[in-house]
Amino acid sequence: MTHPVVSEMTAEEKAHLLSGRDFWSTHSVERLGITSVTMTDGPHGVRLQRRSDESGTPATCFPLAAAVGASWDPAVARAIGAAIAIEARAQGVGIVLGPGVNIKRSPLCGRNFEYYSEDPLLSGVLGAAHVEGQQAEGVGASVKHFAANNQETDRMQISADVDERTLREIYLPAFERVVTESAPATVMAAYNRINGTPASANTWLLTDVLRGEWGFRGAVVSDWGAVADPVASVRAGLDLQMPGTGGRSARLILDALADGSLDETVVDRAAARVLELGRGAAEMDDRDVDFAAHHALARTLASECAVLLTNDGTLPLHQGTRIAVIGEFARTPRFQGSGSSRVAAVDVDEPLACLRELASMRDCDVTFAPGFTLDDAPSTEAATALRAEAVATASAAEVAVIFAGLPDTAESEGFDRSTTLLPEQQSALITAVAAAAPRTVVVLAHGGVVTMEEWHDDVHAVLDVSLAGEAAGGAVADLLFGVANPSGRLAETIPVRLSDTPSYTNFPGEQGHVRYGEGVMVGYRWHETAERPARHPFGHGLSYTTFGVDDLTVTAVGDDSATVTVTVRNTGRLAGSEVVQIYVSTTAGPVRRPVRELRSFTKIRLEPGESHRVEFSLSRRAFAYWDIRRHGWVVAPGDYTVQVCRDAATVLTDQVVTLTGDHTAAALTLQSTVETWTTHPQIGPELLELLAQVPPDRGLPEITPELLRMVGSMPMQKIVDMLGDVLPAPVLDEMMTRTETEA
Ligand code: BGC
């Protein structure tokens, strides 16, 4: 049935509605009371551009997705979504574009700061919480970039060549969770192609999977400039092309309607979905935003995201310590990314000032030296002089705290990185300061992973802050002095060498194609399966307290699910938060599985000595693989080890659960292999018995295990052909018929 408003619209009005009015808004149809909806970028703060050449009106810059990933806490993502919505509403913005839930396939992707994790479950849980928080405050979300947009090189044309199982197990589940759990107002179709077909004109992706399988009811919007053929895109399931094309797309749609190559019902459906965006969008809100409260929130949330990578006890800093703060980033912080997610931050904390404030309350003396410049090209003499000054400052102190990281220019949408190295000036500085100072702490600000190999073993603590938004400086001060206890865990593996990473030889592709040759072995799935130890594994992160787990119980529920309960205890002397990570490991089924996969997690805050019993429900998806023969999820019968892990490389306790699983035996045919026949639970023994009874004079060789192994992969037809009537056709037919009814 046609939407009541759409049925009153002219073809022209409908066609116009399917592309933007301008860069950031949809068309209005005044005679029908259809209002325009304004979209802006997010997802780390509202980026409302009044003109396309300005950086946006002031807004709070919250921790970026890379940082939120490390919080492992949906409450953090939800709070950010909600606060952004409040700021958006105050500016009349109906949709904030985000969150980005693409998988970090390579540490080199230039846009990794905008994505949560290398793991689909973690990405999906956080993305769903962000959408929920934002939409509960009346502002629509746009989960992006759908799908397989995992690099920036050649981003508008590259074909991500990914096999079906890998798409289903790694690249689609985060979108699936966001869509099915949080019903985002829009999904943004990506720039790239998938197996040759543009994502923005991909019927399988936008219609069959997104709407057919996942039940998406909102509108599909294109990434900005993604559409090449507006008619093909609408036909495939795209509703709104952005930005506007000055009427060109509408004319093409009208032509296609006129010549019958586009069905009017398709246009009606898309128009109805765009109309609904207007109905759902927030009213302009004239309450003032409490930016001070949002800044304070940003500081608390940022402290939930930072990961303490190493610490020999130097942190937290003690009362009365003489501290040398080193690094230009201490006064000119790097706290956010570049490109479309860049926010005109309201109030940026200066880390040095925040440290001084807390230091003064603890009788700590703070000195400072910049140590390096943020531009790439100071003269060698200038760099040497800055380093010498920093070394002198550090050697006069008890602890040197170095603020290092990637400069703004190192990463952005539009290009990928070619290295994980820090700028040379900085690594040389860290090595020199570490040799001179009694103790050295490194605080890292960066979006994509950086290597620490050159100096990792020379320093006493590393605090990885990622890009934690405008209040990162305050959060770092809180964490260094122990006002807050670090509780972040890595959402992305830090490899020893770039060449240890799974996509190393297949990133970023060539001649228009990037082959996802590593399949499902992405991130820790690869490092653990291929035994390539990481510098710091996925899930790693220290605290100022310690935790223990015990009393694990795992109980099967039905044929394909389980419940898991475990006690977690704060065994140290400070309050803190632990992330309980549940992985599943199995060799069941016909496909190669990663050594372990994250299947559930929770973050829990505990007072010293406190313990808590936590329960997890593992549904069938926690045990399933995508079966390319059945085009569906299958739980293979067999044993599954449920592991409670400290991180992806460290199992704390585990237990095996045996699942009946799905009935997977396929009907036997003459094309099935001899092995399939002989191992079939009913037919196998019967067939072997039949063969054993063949009289010796028929020339049949003795059926030994060796023989069966040799002929195991031959289709049964070949054996029948060779043996003639030794295996009578009616007997085989009867056996095959029986397996049809069983399957
Ligand atoms: C980016 C999107 C963004 C859009 C609008 C594109 O270049 O890929 O993430 O939302 O621009 O700025």
Side-chain angles (χ1 to χ4, degrees):
M1 205 184 69
T2 314
H3 187 284
V5 181
V6 172
S7 62
E8 289 179 47
M9 293 171 76
T10 64
E12 185 126 339
E13 285 167 339
K14 288 186 279 195
H16 274 97
L17 211 53
L18 306 196
S19 49
R21 176 175 69 178
D22 49 32
F23 215 80
W24 294 118
S25 62
T26 61
H27 280 282
S28 57
V29 185
E30 272 156 34
R31 73 178 185 91
L32 297 172
I34 298 170
T35 50
S36 163
V37 179
T38 300
M39 290 166 265
T40 70
D41 269 309
H44 314 122
V46 180
R47 176 186 164 85
L48 180 64
Q49 289 177 300
R50 303 275 180 212
R51 292 192 326 266
S52 61
D53 59 346
E54 68 167 24
S55 61
T57 53
T60 309
C61 179
F62 289 96
L64 274 70
V68 177
S71 76
W72 287 62
D73 190 352
V76 169
R78 196 175 296 117
I80 291 174
I84 286 175
I86 290 167
E87 295 192 18
R89 240 174 29 207
Q91 309 222 42
V93 170
I95 293 175
V96 177
L97 306 171
V101 299
N102 294 98
I103 295 297
K104 301 187 197 210
R105 175 175 174 249
S106 163
L108 297 179
C109 172
R111 216 171 178 180
N112 274 354
F113 58 82
E114 277 189 69
Y115 301 139
Y116 294 114
S117 176
E118 68 189 25
D119 180 81
L121 175 72
L122 184 54
S123 304
V125 168
L126 297 172
H130 181 109
V131 171
E132 206 180 283
Q134 186 172 313
Q135 296 199 156
E137 290 292 339
V139 174
S142 190
V143 60
K144 64 190 188 180
H145 309 89
F146 190 51
N149 182 181
N150 310 100
Q151 66 184 56
E152 294 301 293
T153 305
D154 197 16
R155 67 171 168 165
M156 290 191 141
Q157 312 215 50
I158 193 90
S159 174
D161 295 345
V162 202
D163 67 87
E164 183 186 337
R165 178 179 164 218
T166 300
L167 273 172
R168 294 293 189 158
E169 293 190 17
I170 303 291
Y171 295 101
L172 295 183
F175 290 99
E176 180 181 3
R177 182 176 289 271
V178 175
V179 166
T180 55
E181 291 188 356
S182 303
T186 70
V187 168
M188 187 189 291
Y191 284 135
N192 52 287
R193 295 160 193 269
I194 301 176
N195 297 320
T197 309
S200 63
N202 194 316
T203 309
W204 171 78
L205 187 72
L206 303 185
T207 298
D208 302 348
V209 173
L210 180 63
R211 297 192 188 277
E213 293 182 29
W214 302 347
F216 179 61
R217 306 284 296 271
V220 178
V221 52
S222 72
D223 197 347
W224 268 233
V227 172
D229 177 345
V231 174
S233 283
V234 171
R235 215 184 271 131
L238 188 97
D239 304 303
L240 177 61
Q241 176 186 0
M242 288 303 293
T245 57
R248 192 180 63 85
S249 299
R251 278 193 299 279
L252 291 171
I253 286 171
L254 286 168
D255 289 349
L257 282 174
D259 69 20
S261 58
L262 183 63
D263 197 311
E264 188 153 5
T265 56
V266 175
V267 173
D268 287 355
R269 224 168 27 216
R273 292 180 190 133
V274 178
L275 278 184
E276 288 302 311
L277 291 181
R279 290 219 312 187
E283 293 293 308
M284 179 82 162
D285 188 340
D286 48 15
R287 270 177 304 170
D288 282 343
V289 172
D290 186 347
F291 283 112
H294 279 188
H295 186 81
L297 174 67
R299 180 167 175 161
T300 310
L301 299 177
S303 71
E304 292 279 328
C305 300
V307 183
L308 184 60
L309 291 176
T310 59
N311 184 23
D312 69 347
T314 299
L315 294 180
L317 297 168
H318 304 297
Q319 182 90 13
T321 309
R322 275 178 291 120
I323 305 164
V325 173
I326 310 289
E328 183 59 45
F329 282 133
R331 61 179 183 192
T332 317
R334 169 100 198 281
F335 62 95
Q336 69 164 327
S338 303
S340 65
S341 79
R342 196 174 187 84
V343 175
V346 173
D347 176 15
V348 180
D349 281 354
E350 183 195 293
L352 181 58
C354 297
L355 276 172
R356 283 204 157 116
E357 194 183 327
L358 294 194
S360 68
M361 296 181 235
R362 290 167 175 77
D363 293 329
C364 294
D365 178 52
V366 175
T367 52
F368 171 72
F372 58 87
T373 59
L374 294 182
D375 72 73
D376 290 339
S379 65
T380 315
E381 295 74 39
T384 310
L386 280 170
R387 192 154 63 238
E389 182 202 9
V391 166
T393 309
S395 26
E398 288 165 289
V399 179
V401 179
I402 308 176
F403 284 77
L406 291 178
D408 249 342
T409 49
E411 45 190 345
S412 167
E413 72 180 84
F415 63 89
D416 292 314
R417 295 188 297 156
S418 57
T419 173
T420 56
L421 292 172
L422 282 178
E424 225 269 288
Q425 278 190 74
Q426 293 189 38
S427 36
L429 173 77
I430 298 173
T431 309
V433 168
R439 304 199 151 268
T440 303
V441 174
V442 176
V443 177
L444 282 176
H446 60 103
V449 159
V450 291
T451 183
M452 294 161 230
E453 293 308 308
E454 297 142 298
W455 45 263
H456 184 272
D457 296 340
D458 303 338
V459 303
H460 301 87
V462 181
L463 183 66
D464 188 350
V465 189
S466 185
L467 296 177
E470 63 176 48
V476 167
D478 292 342
L479 290 160
L480 292 178
F481 282 107
V483 175
N485 190 348
S487 64
R489 303 286 183 268
L490 289 177
E492 185 183 6
T493 305
I494 302 179
V496 176
R497 290 171 302 231
L498 192 56
S499 57
D500 288 341
T501 61
S503 61
Y504 182 65
T505 55
N506 281 316
F507 183 94
E510 55 221 0
Q511 300 194 311
H513 291 265
V514 52
R515 206 167 62 84
Y516 285 36
E518 69 285 1
V520 300
M521 301 292 173
V522 174
Y524 69 88
R525 286 168 165 78
W526 163 255
H527 286 273
E528 294 312 307
T529 308
E531 299 180 357
R532 297 281 168 88
R535 167 53 60 198
H536 291 296
F538 173 84
H540 169 73
L542 305 174
S543 164
Y544 296 147
T545 187
T546 49
F547 300 95
V549 293
D550 48 52
D551 295 335
L552 170 67
T553 61
V554 182
T555 317
V557 176
D559 291 345
D560 58 9
S561 306
T563 50
V564 177
T565 35
V566 69
T567 301
V568 52
R569 190 182 310 277
N570 182 341
T571 51
R573 280 176 302 180
L574 287 172
S577 296
E578 171 68 318
V579 176
V580 189
Q581 305 173 33
I582 308 289
Y583 295 74
V584 172
S585 177
T586 189
T587 54
V591 297
R592 179 76 186 256
R593 313 285 283 259
V595 155
R596 68 181 56 90
E597 297 183 87
L598 182 73
R599 294 309 193 197
S600 197
F601 62 90
T602 190
K603 191 171 192 176
I604 174 166
R605 187 177 165 83
L606 295 168
E607 295 300 316
E610 188 185 352
S611 67
H612 195 83
R613 193 115 181 104
V614 237
E615 183 171 318
F616 303 87
S617 296
L618 298 184
S619 67
R620 77 178 254 112
R621 275 293 279 279
F623 303 99
Y625 70 93
W626 181 266
D627 190 298
I628 58 166
R629 292 198 163 141
R630 294 170 169 246
H631 301 290
W633 297 102
V634 169
V635 176
D639 289 346
Y640 293 80
T641 308
V642 175
Q643 305 172 326
V644 184
C645 294
R646 168 164 298 133
D647 53 52
T650 319
V651 179
L652 298 170
T653 173
D654 62 6
Q655 197 183 310
V656 176
V657 63
T658 305
L659 297 180
T660 311
D662 301 339
H663 179 82
T664 50
L668 294 174
T669 69
L670 288 178
Q671 297 318 312
S672 308
T673 63
V674 171
E675 187 187 355
T676 314
W677 276 80
T678 54
T679 57
H680 188 281
Q682 282 81 44
I683 306 301
E686 289 178 33
L687 178 68
L688 291 171
E689 179 63 29
L690 190 72
L691 288 168
Q693 284 168 10
V694 174
D697 63 349
R698 301 300 300 274
L700 187 70
E702 195 191 340
I703 311 291
T704 60
E706 291 72 31
L707 180 76
L708 285 177
R709 197 160 71 190
M710 209 166 73
V711 299
S713 64
M714 287 170 79
M716 195 59 160
Q717 180 71 62
K718 306 271 181 210
I719 301 291
V720 171
D721 292 348
M722 284 181 218
L723 297 183
D725 61 355
V726 165
L727 286 173
V731 174
L732 292 179
D733 283 347
E734 185 276 329
M735 286 177 167
M736 289 189 283
T737 311
R738 261 196 285 144
T739 64
E740 275 166 24
T741 47
E742 281 163 10

